[in-house]
Amino acid sequence: MKATLQNYHARMQRVLDYIHQHLDSDLDLETTSRVAAFSKFHFHRQFMATFGLSAHRYVQLARLKHASHRLADKNAQSVTEIAMDAGYDAPDAFARAFRRRLGQSPSSFRKSPDWAPWLAAFGPLDNARSKLMQITYTYDDVTIRDVPPTPVAILEHRGDRATLGDTFQRFIAWRKAAGLSPETSPTFMVFRSERIPAVPADYSMDICVGTDQPIEANDAQVKAGVIPGGRCAVLRVANGASNNMEPEGLFLYRDWLPASGEETRDFPVYSKRWLSFFPDVPVHEVVAELFLPLK
């Protein structure tokens, strides 16, 4: 029974990966059901039952989310080109859909993104990838490593997660200007608070890039720092799950740590990822690990 369920989920996961790889292609019911190897007469109901939204709605949201990232990159394509890439025949149709979902026109979002409605609008995508189809980890997935101290450039985010998108944009812009390629300089995120604290203003996270180069004073407020070395429990994050590591953190704290006999060290849990932030590479290609510092 368990193997059958895992196979079913793997086929559904394959559809999500395919969608994110082919956002500029025809993603009709015929295509998506074929990728999952399910009958097209039943697939739409299976998708809805699994993910809580229709395949058509998922594709729409995925395209709009990708378009929003392109809009936030002011050096990217024009609004018209982004609209066409998102599957809309005309810019005004794209603008209506974008405003209906995010409360801003595409041009207004490009000038000054409002990230609070953005987080709410694309919550169903996170639910589909990480909450409605949980990934199962075992104790064998965790390794204990002696990690050396890692010099990093740090941009601190303090405050409501609704403004996290602005912090990421500043970090990405600074990183590009500094010539720190994601292919050669890994990204770290140090989680200093709960993902959703009781008081939103208490949210705290450091966004870092590995580098030992001197960090000059800058408008982005990036500064030099070090992720301390020491023993860590390391969990490799499944492909496509790196946008929300709450399930991985839950497994480490709830399941692995009590059974391991280990004690935590006085430094927060943190992640390391290779390649880049979505949408620079498809979400399913991001490679990430979660580190739990140990004594």
Side-chain angles (χ1 to χ4, degrees), residues 139-196:
Y139 299 115
D140 291 338
D141 293 321
V142 180
T143 58
I144 295 180
R145 296 186 208 158
D146 284 311
V147 180
T150 305
V152 292
I154 302 172
L155 179 57
E156 298 177 344
H157 178 89
R158 303 292 184 266
D160 199 322
R161 286 186 73 248
T163 63
L164 189 57
D166 291 323
T167 305
F168 272 113
Q169 290 300 321
R170 279 194 291 131
F171 177 77
I172 292 170
W174 178 87
R175 179 179 188 153
K176 288 181 178 178
L180 297 173
S181 166
E183 285 76 18
T184 57
S185 303
T187 301
F188 298 86
M189 285 182 273
V190 182
F191 305 107
R192 296 186 175 275
S193 72
E194 297 176 76
R195 187 170 187 263
I196 305 178

Side-chain angles (χ1 to χ4, degrees), residues 1-12 14 38:
M1 179 70 73
K2 184 177 179 181
T4 301
L5 183 61
Q6 288 176 337
N7 176 63
Y8 187 93
H9 283 179
R11 291 160 74 182
M12 284 295 193
R14 190 164 68 229
F38 288 127

Side-chain angles (χ1 to χ4, degrees), residues 44-55 57-58 61 124 127-128 132-133:
H44 61 295
R45 292 187 178 87
Q46 291 172 279
F47 193 98
M48 173 68 82
T50 303
F51 298 117
L53 73 168
S54 70
R57 172 58 66 186
Y58 187 95
L61 288 175
N127 288 340
L132 300 181
M133 188 160 43

Side-chain angles (χ1 to χ4, degrees), residues 215-270:
I215 308 300
E216 299 179 357
N218 55 85
D219 293 338
Q221 299 179 313
V222 175
K223 61 183 182 181
V226 175
I227 294 178
R231 295 174 70 246
C232 288
V234 184
L235 176 62
R236 180 90 163 191
V237 177
N239 285 354
S242 61
N243 273 359
N244 172 19
M245 295 192 184
E246 197 72 11
E248 287 72 24
L250 183 63
F251 169 74
L252 284 176
Y253 283 111
R254 183 191 63 195
D255 300 323
W256 183 85
L257 185 61
S260 70
E262 295 283 350
E263 296 287 337
T264 55
R265 181 161 38 96
D266 193 20
F267 189 78
V269 65
Y270 64 95

